[in-house]
Amino acid sequence: MAPDRLADSSPRTDTGPPTETAAPTTRPRLYYLDHLRVVLTALVVLHHSAIIYGNIPLFYYTEPADDPSGALLDVFLVLNQAFFMGFFFLISGFFTPGSLDRRGARGFLRGRLMRLGVPLLLFLVLLRPVVYLGIYLADPDAPPYWLHYVQTWEPGPMWFVETLLVFALVYALIRRFRPPREGAPAAAVRPDRPARVPGPLAVAGFVAVLAALTYLWRIAVPIGATWPIVGLPTPAYMPQYVLLFAAGALAFRRGWLDAVPRWAGWGGAGTALLMAPVIMLAISAPREAALQPGTWQSLLLAAAECAFAVGAVLTLLAVFQRRFNRRSRAWTFLSEHAYAVYFLHILVVVGLGHAFSWWEAPAIAKFAAVGALALPLCWGAAYALRSLPRADRVF
């Protein structure tokens, strides 16, 4: 879940519809998931900072690289894209069942509309006109701004919030027709009974299914395709988003994230390190064969990306579960403001891009400067936003 509070992360996780007599079931707070959301939010800020100076000019402000260091940014963008948004969906999926259990369907949907729908609307009405202004002013033949605004309609980085709202609605609908077994508490709230975590073969099977679905999906929705109006910039990764969200919801029910096994961390790290060069080699193949739907190179790229994504996710889960599963003032501050950072960061990153446009320096140097400034400025702006009356109820 990007950002803090995209899904309710309260430690309470009632296992059935709320009733007056039901006693609440509690579980230990998995602080490391809050901390991972901070890291992923920081990666979003750095990702968009890198797009400005790389060779993938798909942003509100860009300065395509004219030196070799831009290729390093491209490597970062490709590998980051392969897993980080899917990881967000997994964490969001993990917190979704408990929120629905505790609030009931009406309360859950009302909360999702408040926490997801309101920020989406605010971005479209307030922030998007500002970040698009530079593109509009650079086009001497542009139509009136109101028409330009309509013609270029898309939710920007809030596509994640938009998609997550759809996932939440679908999950609530599924739960209505297929509720959890009555009286069967989630494994995640049974500390006396260790969860049975899927083994290496199950993980490998998940990767194989994800790779096959991704390959078939990309025949219809190839890499580089976008969905107008809806505004998804990376619909080619939709199978990953759906399956990782579902895996997160299932992980909550079965307690898989309470104790991530060591083999998952080591195996995930090894897999990610092996697949990273395969991804880059596949993408750099002659005639961009890996980006052409239905080719064997496309299958290779899908398999390598999916293996890398699952490996990176398992590695980070294992490391943070063991090393960063304690509460601290710093982590709490960063986590509480992460959603607001996600909401505001485009203004900060685009503004810094314009501010540094005069500086003639290698692409990697400008990225380092913008990234180093963007992170503290984003959290500072988020603090100011959440200090407004009642803003913390949304962000």
Side-chain angles (χ1 to χ4, degrees):
M1 134 188 25
D4 198 51
R5 295 194 174 195
L6 283 192
D8 194 324
S9 57
S10 167
R12 282 188 59 186
T13 55
D14 303 339
T15 57
T19 65
E20 294 183 359
T21 59
T25 306
T26 59
R27 54 160 293 169
R29 178 67 171 258
L30 300 181
Y31 292 109
Y32 80 94
L33 293 180
D34 295 328
H35 305 159
L36 277 169
R37 287 184 299 193
V38 172
V39 172
L40 292 174
T41 303
L43 281 178
V44 170
V45 176
L46 295 175
H47 189 90
H48 288 143
S49 300
I51 290 179
I52 294 178
Y53 304 110
N55 298 297
I56 307 175
L58 301 173
F59 199 52
Y60 302 105
Y61 175 77
T62 60
E63 294 181 27
D66 57 4
D67 65 271
S69 69
L72 296 177
L73 297 179
D74 296 340
V75 172
F76 166 69
L77 290 169
V78 168
L79 296 181
N80 198 44
Q81 184 63 61
F83 86 96
F84 79 135
M85 295 310 297
F87 202 172
F88 265 137
F89 280 109
L90 182 138
I91 296 176
S92 298
F94 179 84
F95 287 122
T96 296
S99 181
L100 180 56
D101 289 346
R102 187 178 66 261
R103 297 169 180 261
R106 288 186 180 180
F108 172 77
L109 294 176
R110 186 163 50 247
R112 294 310 87 200
L113 288 174
M114 174 65 73
R115 297 274 176 87
L116 304 177
V118 171
L120 175 61
L121 181 62
L122 289 175
F123 179 87
L124 292 172
V125 174
L126 299 179
L127 270 61
R128 185 176 175 275
V130 177
V131 296
Y132 252 101
L133 191 58
I135 297 176
Y136 176 78
L137 294 176
D139 184 0
D141 300 320
Y145 190 53
W146 68 267
L147 181 58
H148 173 80
Y149 180 86
V150 173
Q151 291 176 339
T152 58
W153 179 269
E154 47 84 32
M158 298 300 282
W159 70 266
F160 171 77
V161 174
E162 177 187 52
T163 305
L164 188 56
L165 180 59
V166 174
F167 284 8
L169 295 174
V170 171
Y171 180 81
L173 185 63
I174 293 173
R175 280 281 301 273
R176 179 172 179 82
F177 293 100
R178 191 176 180 182
R181 288 180 302 153
E182 186 175 354
V189 300
R190 297 290 297 275
D192 59 319
R193 185 178 301 174
R196 187 174 181 180
V197 179
L201 288 180
V203 174
F206 177 83
V207 172
V209 170
L210 177 58
L213 290 176
T214 299
Y215 169 72
L216 295 174
W217 173 260
R218 288 179 178 176
I219 294 176
V221 186
I223 293 178
T226 59
W227 287 355
I229 309 300
V230 176
L232 266 65
T234 56
Y237 293 87
M238 186 57 69
Q240 181 189 116
Y241 302 155
V242 173
L243 289 191
L244 286 182
F245 181 88
L250 194 59
F252 172 83
R253 289 291 173 206
R254 302 192 177 182
W256 291 343
L257 301 188
D258 286 1
V260 182
R262 292 185 180 275
W263 65 259
W266 288 107
T271 300
L273 289 173
L274 285 173
M275 291 298 105
V278 176
I279 293 173
M280 301 313 302
L281 288 173
I283 289 178
S284 60
R287 297 185 298 278
E288 298 184 336
L291 304 182
Q292 303 302 317
T295 64
W296 69 265
Q297 294 94 334
S298 175
L299 177 60
L300 174 64
L301 177 60
E305 280 186 336
C306 293
F308 174 85
V310 173
V313 167
L314 289 176
T315 301
L316 290 171
L317 286 172
V319 170
F320 273 71
Q321 195 267 324
R322 282 173 172 75
R323 303 292 184 183
F324 303 101
N325 199 21
R326 295 180 179 85
R327 188 177 186 179
S328 70
R329 287 187 178 182
W331 278 116
T332 299
F333 173 85
L334 294 173
S335 178
E336 287 178 347
H337 295 80
Y339 187 18
V341 168
Y342 188 90
F343 174 74
L344 290 170
H345 80 277
I346 285 295
L347 281 179
V348 175
V349 171
V350 172
L352 287 173
H354 283 287
F356 278 88
S357 61
W358 59 270
W359 185 26
E360 295 185 5
I364 195 73
K366 299 191 74 169
F367 160 73
V370 168
L373 288 173
L375 290 174
L377 287 176
C378 282
W379 258 271
Y383 176 78
L385 173 62
R386 295 186 78 245
S387 297
L388 297 175
R390 299 192 177 185
D392 58 348
R393 296 186 180 183
V394 177
F395 299 102

